[in-house]
Amino acid sequence: MSGREAARARAAALLVAAREALGDAELLAGGARAGGAALRAADAALAGARAHLALAGLDPGDDGPAVALLFDRQVVAAGTVSHGCGLALHRALRAAREVRLFGSAAVYPARLQAVLEGVRQLLSESEIVLATS
Amino acid sequence: MKQGVGPLHKRLRGREITALRAVRARLGQALGPVLVRVVLLDSRVLPVDPAAAVPPVAPPAAAAPAPGGAARPARAAPPPPPPRRPRAVELLVVVARRDVFVDAHVDEAVFAVSLEHGALVAPLVLTEEELLRPEFGSGPFGTALARGEEVAG
């Protein structure tokens, strides 16, 4: 397998993991488990963003701030995906950080919905972009 | 929590300082009196290639032609210093009340600054009332808060 093929396979695997995490987040949100939903939504956003970085050979692993910085610079600023996707990643990561530190009350229903909507957009755009790259 | 510039501020350099000021200014503008204060909690080096995180620098303007018509020879600019590894700047944003608009403004400010300056600001948001709870005065967060430094507006 060439380096490019390996990077594409890694990106595809990350997108699958992202979809799975988003599915979990939606189930947890439906079951009124906001904290768990926010954590899985952040996993989904992180994996979706990492898929782009893996393709470019820049994946820094699961360090959220590192992924956000590189995703903004290399993917959003380059116009590969919309600004909404960059914003969605920041929103999801902060919500998860606050759940870990402060508990589930940090994500009230309207905020959780905003997080989930953003992650759906990020994954939809990423799937289109990565399928054609 | 300390007032003014202390050891946490002094660890920051260049675009991290600019980003911190820009986030503080954007939050002040967007939230108005709802923003109570911004506290610098910590910063840490990110495991990324410094060159990959730096915003592109605009090329220098071409030298203007001399009055005689010939272009002036451009003086060679000194090479820029190699970029440092970026840091994540961790903040606490204390607000008077919290709702979906406040949270949206915080996320937008951080995202805009990351795009503009190539520096990552990672905020947490709490209301003044929440901050009075005993659980926030102890543990790792309580320790970070006690060492924190207020960011001037």
Side-chain angles (χ1 to χ4, degrees), chain B residues 51-128:
Chain B
V54 178
V57 178
R72 271 182 294 182
R75 264 212 344 241
R84 293 165 61 246
R85 271 192 186 278
R87 298 180 84 92
V89 180
E90 295 170 7
L91 297 183
L92 173 67
V93 179
V94 184
V95 290
R97 64 175 167 78
R98 184 169 198 174
D99 55 33
V100 77
F101 298 105
V102 169
D103 276 308
H105 283 308
V106 172
D107 291 324
E108 279 160 18
V110 166
F111 172 59
V113 165
S114 168
L115 268 189
E116 201 175 323
H117 299 288
L120 201 283
V121 176
L124 300 163
V125 176
L126 281 176
T127 63
E128 272 184 299

Side-chain angles (χ1 to χ4, degrees), chain B residues 125-138:
Chain B
V125 176
L126 281 176
T127 63
E128 272 184 299
E129 205 183 322
E130 286 170 326
L131 206 51
L132 296 176
R133 290 190 200 152
E135 65 262 33
F136 295 138
S138 58

Side-chain angles (χ1 to χ4, degrees), chain A residues 58 60 63-70 72-74 76-77 82-87 90-92 94 97-98 101-102 105-106 108 110-111 114, chain B residues 44 46-49 52-56 86 88 92 98-100 103 106-108 110-111 114-116 118-120 122-126 136 141:
Chain A
L58 292 170
D63 186 310
V67 172
L69 184 61
L70 288 176
D72 289 345
R73 177 59 36 222
Q74 299 291 329
V76 180
S82 69
H83 278 210
C85 295
L87 186 55
H90 285 273
R91 189 188 292 140
R94 182 166 70 85
R97 220 167 33 244
E98 289 183 3
L101 279 168
F102 307 145
Y108 47 89
R111 186 177 179 201
Chain B
R44 68 177 174 92
L46 292 174
V48 303
D49 172 10
V54 178
L92 173 67
R98 184 169 198 174
D99 55 33
V100 77
D103 276 308
V106 172
D107 291 324
E108 279 160 18
V110 166
F111 172 59
S114 168
L115 268 189
E116 201 175 323
L120 201 283
L124 300 163
V125 176
L126 281 176
F136 295 138
F141 178 75

